[in-house]
Amino acid sequence: MMKRDIVIIGGGPAGLAAAISCFENGNRDILILERETYLGGILNQCIHNGFGLHTFKEELTGPEYAGRYVDKVRDLGIDYRLDTMVIDINQEKVVSAINEKDGLLQIQAKAVILAMGCRERSRGALNIPGYRPAGIFSAGTAQRYVNIEGYMPGKQVVILGSGDIGLIMARRMTLEGAKVKMVCEIMPYSGGLKRNIVQCLDDYGIPLKLNHTVTKIFGKERVTGVNVSEVDPATRMPIPGTEEYVACDTLLLSVGLIPENELSRKAHVKINPKTQGPEVDESLSTSIPGIFAAGNVLHVHDLVDFVSQEAALAGKFAVKYIAGLSQDGSAVAVEPQNGVRYSVPSRIHPGNAEDITVIRFRTDNVYRDVFLSVYLDEERVMHLKKRILTPGEMEQVNIPKKWITDRPGLSRIRILVEKE
């Protein structure tokens, strides 16, 4: 059995940033396991710009952003295995993987960093009536076909779901000569960033139909059209009589991303039911000591820059864990309440916290002209006026360590939306 100090599962932006951080914090016995043929993860197919403004202070494409991390990993001599699929992790941090060259690999790690990213929800999760014709793709699959494989999925397109990938693909398909008829969104608000709505839909005259969904798919061999119906905002059920037939040969689904956590569950890592990612503390440590998680496997991010920041922190704390420098003790719970759907991390150990702990979260609805408040037990310590809060935009608050250490009996930190 091979032995390594740190095994990182995933060679995308999170895995690369975690590996570099481990190296820079003093541990060089690192192995990255990546199932694809190239490092870089999903960024390799994200050829649009908008990456790196926080990390590099300049606007890069996805491959350019990934390339900077890949180059650094290679320059540092960090070991990685490509075309290697991890099939199991256990609580003793034994990682099992397979590839063509080595066959079955078993690696005993002192620490494991989960960086597997996320996947798209499929048609099967939606239960849309109709046959199973050609022409139905997830937005990410269509993106790979167009940007990497060089294939056009279709010419007359309807997009269901207004997540960022769906919005970006509305523009991409238009630029490649397709006609995007509309983007339908079952919710009363878009799930994507405001800038993507403007740059990808408004700038190209593509209509966004809120409170609408696809209720039937027509066609046997190939999609010939879909029914689009208005939904009741309260129940999200289609309203009878509002059906509109839209002729198309392609339906793209952008109906949400799910953290890729089958391996986490195999290791019996505790999963947050709201994020579908592991529950972690301030060090991004999961419920299994020595197993850390960062990036979209933890919760779905808006910006890759924040993925990299988070993963770098996981790498730093993994090195501290191996060196025996982690201090656990009692933890302060982080509780999302009243309009805040989830928060990461879910607990903070005062003795182990950085000078500033960043808590990232999303709201459960659109809120206008409200306050974002933070309470330490019953004491309100933050009360920020917000013109708008929307689930499509991840928010964050910074919690100074001093706030916690100055209150020895503190039991919980509450984050909530207030009207006044």
Side-chain angles (χ1 to χ4, degrees), residues 1-2 4 7 31 33 93-95 105-109:
M1 182 182 293
M2 185 189 303
R4 287 296 177 96
V7 173
L31 176 62
L33 300 176
K93 297 181 284 293
V94 174
V95 179
L105 287 167
Q106 287 198 306
I107 308 155
Q108 175 66 68

Side-chain angles (χ1 to χ4, degrees), residues 64-75:
E64 287 173 329
Y65 185 97
R68 296 197 178 186
Y69 280 89
V70 172
D71 289 346
K72 190 162 187 179
V73 163
R74 289 173 176 159
D75 290 345

Side-chain angles (χ1 to χ4, degrees), residues 90-365:
N90 64 25
Q91 294 186 7
E92 286 70 46
K93 297 181 284 293
V94 174
V95 179
S96 300
I98 54 172
N99 63 34
E100 286 188 358
K101 180 181 177 182
D102 303 300
L104 177 64
L105 287 167
Q106 287 198 306
I107 308 155
Q108 175 66 68
K110 294 180 181 177
V112 174
I113 300 177
L114 306 174
M116 295 90 72
C118 59
R119 68 174 187 269
E120 297 178 279
R121 281 192 173 90
S122 65
R123 179 189 174 182
L126 304 178
N127 297 321
I128 304 172
Y131 291 96
R132 298 176 61 86
I136 304 172
F137 304 90
S138 70
T141 299
Q143 185 182 59
R144 181 179 179 89
Y145 278 147
V146 175
N147 293 347
I148 292 183
E149 307 293 342
Y151 297 117
M152 270 296 281
K155 289 293 187 181
Q156 302 288 319
V157 184
V158 170
I159 299 177
L160 175 59
S162 61
D164 288 313
I165 304 174
L167 298 175
I168 288 164
M169 281 309 295
R171 176 179 62 185
R172 189 77 182 100
M173 296 292 284
T174 301
L175 291 173
E176 288 296 332
K179 172 64 176 175
V180 179
K181 299 289 190 73
M182 64 181 66
V183 176
C184 302
E185 171 58 59
I186 195 170
M187 302 298 288
Y189 51 80
S190 170
L193 294 170
K194 179 66 175 178
R195 76 179 191 197
N196 284 334
I197 297 170
V198 173
Q199 295 174 5
C200 300
L201 299 188
D202 297 349
D203 288 357
Y204 294 89
I206 300 170
L208 172 61
K209 305 194 76 167
L210 301 175
N211 291 315
H212 282 74
T213 191
V214 172
T215 49
K216 190 169 183 179
I217 299 170
F218 295 92
K220 288 189 176 181
E221 300 300 321
R222 175 85 193 194
V223 173
T224 57
V226 297
N227 270 354
V228 172
S229 300
E230 187 176 353
V231 301
D232 184 313
T235 64
R236 299 183 203 166
M237 295 298 291
I239 300 172
T242 63
E243 299 87 359
E244 173 193 359
Y245 177 79
V246 182
C248 62
D249 62 16
T250 304
L251 174 65
L252 299 189
L253 304 176
S254 178
V255 291
L257 299 169
I258 308 169
E260 190 78 75
N261 270 299
E262 284 72 16
L263 290 172
S264 309
R265 290 185 174 90
K266 283 189 175 185
H268 300 289
V269 165
K270 187 176 181 181
I271 300 295
N272 184 319
K274 295 290 179 65
T275 63
Q276 293 301 303
E279 284 193 2
V280 295
D281 62 12
E282 76 297 325
S283 65
L284 301 174
S285 174
T286 68
S287 59
I288 307 295
I291 298 182
F292 300 79
N296 284 349
V297 78
L298 182 56
H299 62 124
V300 177
H301 293 60
D302 300 332
L303 301 178
V304 71
D305 303 74
F306 296 151
V307 167
S308 300
Q309 290 175 18
E310 196 173 81
L313 192 64
K316 178 180 180 179
F317 276 105
V319 172
K320 288 181 68 174
Y321 170 82
I322 292 172
L325 300 176
S326 296
Q327 301 175 25
D328 290 339
S330 60
V332 178
V334 179
E335 298 181 2
Q337 296 180 348
N338 191 36
V340 178
R341 190 166 68 88
Y342 74 82
S343 62
V344 175
S346 58
R347 60 191 183 279
I348 298 174
H349 296 96
N352 207 34
E354 302 273 273
D355 290 339
I356 296 291
T357 296
V358 178
I359 299 178
R360 295 192 169 101
F361 59 93
R362 291 183 190 269
T363 59
D364 61 7
N365 211 327

